[in-house]
Amino acid sequence: MLGKEDTDVLFLYVVTRAGLWTTAYGATWLFPPDSRTRHAASPLSAWQQWDWWHYLRIAQEGYFPGDLRPGMEGWDNREAFFPGFPFTLRAVHAVVPDWAAAGLLVSFAAGAVAVLALARIARDHVPHPDAGRRAVLFFLLSPCAVFLAAGYTEALFLAFALPAWLAARRRAWPLAAVLAALATTVRVSGLFLAAALAVHFLTTVRAHRDGRALPWLLLPALPPLAYSWYLKSRTGDWMAWKHAEERGWYRDFHAPWEAWRNTWEAAFGHTTSTGYAVEFQAELLTMVLGLALTGFLLYRRRWPEATYTGLALVALGTSYWYMSLPRATLLWWPLWVSLAAWSLRAPRIRTAYVCLVAPLMTLCALTFLTGRWAG
């Protein structure tokens, strides 16, 4: 049953979606690939960028169409992407004929579930009637919020992960485990969530006598194992998805200081174009933010949340260089809850955030919607 606070959150969600869709419409008219054209492309085309094509090909063709295999000429490393979103896309396409519209519909519905869960998590942490709305406001105006609306994995992942965390907070362990397992079908980040659930379980089991629920916490590991087994049967490689990331996105292991140095060089060493350089600058800034957030969570003894953000930083901070850290902030629900709590103590924080961050969100949205890298 939805209360007034929930309907307020959904209104905020719909209004911000309308703003992003309007931005996409404007992008197709104002920034076409050919500046001399007299016919704007479909607004749906603005959403078909970058990783979307991997999800679409998996949904249409599966992972190994024909006789194609990793290592062959032209192989696109699609096995790096977990099957949850492409399979959901394929299912929705059975009802919605246009693939791009189907992807947007998946993210729209999933995002609605995610913001409702985020608001309830915030209200659990902060006993204030406006805590949920503020957390959702900060979340929906975050710089990379365009990826919540696009046909990408963030919204679907959060639609499982945030209710899983909410269920764990209420010690509904079977439900939390099932939802976390669904999250791991979408992104490998689901394993970080599973670790956070395990820490939460261990830190509360004595007080609540939940010992019999322990086997449920193994459930989230099954989807990644099943996917790895499938890839092994087709490629002979248990870690084919990880090796695809290494081939396609330089996600091979490097020491944290090497990753920082390489990212710094790309950001400020004049070795990349200005568009990519500023993205690498954002990666560095986000790493600092992530370390500060994890340190704050450790200081406040919020061990499960610190486990989640810490594992995410380790995973993203040990590649050749940082990639997709700003997008990853969308998955850091403790960040949005902490910002909401801070803004309730210092009211000017909300105004400062909206004035400073909302323009960045629009800039990032236009960058993505016009086909530039915004990851």
Side-chain angles (χ1 to χ4, degrees), residues 62 123 145 179 196 203 213 239 284 334:
R123 291 197 295 268
L179 291 169
T203 55
M239 297 296 291
L284 292 168

Side-chain angles (χ1 to χ4, degrees), residues 146-324:
V146 66
F147 292 102
L148 294 169
Y152 271 54
T153 59
E154 279 77 6
L156 186 61
F157 174 81
L158 289 170
F160 296 131
L162 295 181
W165 183 250
L166 195 60
R169 292 269 301 171
R170 295 171 182 176
R171 299 187 299 282
W173 295 111
L175 177 59
V178 169
L179 291 169
L182 291 171
T184 59
T185 70
V186 180
R187 296 176 67 99
V188 72
S189 310
L191 293 176
F192 309 153
L193 171 65
L197 293 178
V199 173
H200 184 51
F201 177 85
L202 293 173
T203 55
T204 61
V205 63
R206 289 186 179 180
H208 301 291
R209 302 179 184 276
D210 291 327
R212 287 180 297 178
L214 181 60
W216 282 101
L217 298 180
L218 301 176
L219 187 63
L222 295 183
L225 285 174
Y227 182 51
S228 294
W229 176 83
Y230 166 74
L231 293 178
K232 169 67 166 59
S233 69
R234 302 301 297 269
T235 69
D237 182 4
W238 280 100
M239 297 296 291
W241 64 269
K242 181 66 172 64
H243 296 148
E245 288 190 341
E246 294 172 359
R247 289 191 304 269
W249 293 270
Y250 300 98
R251 293 195 183 276
D252 51 330
F253 179 79
H254 288 262
W257 50 89
E258 292 178 356
W260 176 274
R261 183 178 64 244
N262 293 335
T263 309
W264 185 276
E265 179 67 17
F268 299 109
H270 307 291
T271 59
T272 60
S273 64
T274 57
Y276 282 103
V278 75
E279 290 293 340
F280 282 115
Q281 292 169 23
E283 299 281 350
L284 292 168
L285 181 61
T286 308
M287 174 57 77
V288 173
L289 174 65
L291 291 172
L293 173 64
T294 304
F296 169 75
L297 294 171
L298 290 171
Y299 173 75
R300 296 299 299 268
R301 302 192 178 200
R302 290 167 59 179
W303 312 120
E305 294 99 323
T307 298
Y308 178 75
T309 59
L311 288 174
L313 290 177
V314 169
L316 294 171
T318 53
S319 299
Y320 176 78
W321 50 28
Y322 303 155
M323 185 176 291
S324 300

Side-chain angles (χ1 to χ4, degrees), residues 93-117:
H93 178 257
V95 180
V96 180
D98 188 277
W99 285 99
L104 293 175
L105 181 59
V106 170
S107 290
F108 179 74
V113 174
V115 295
L116 286 174

Side-chain angles (χ1 to χ4, degrees), residues 17 20-29 33 39-50 52-53 56 89 92-93 96-108 146 149-152 365 368-371:
R17 300 313 87 189
L20 283 170
W21 297 331
T22 302
T23 302
Y25 178 81
T28 60
W29 285 82
H39 302 280
S42 164
L44 290 175
S45 66
W47 297 100
Q48 296 174 292
Q49 309 290 354
W50 299 97
W52 160 257
W53 297 109
L56 178 62
L89 176 63
V92 173
H93 178 257
V96 180
D98 188 277
W99 285 99
L104 293 175
L105 181 59
V106 170
S107 290
F108 179 74
V146 66
Y152 271 54
F368 172 79
L369 294 166
T370 55

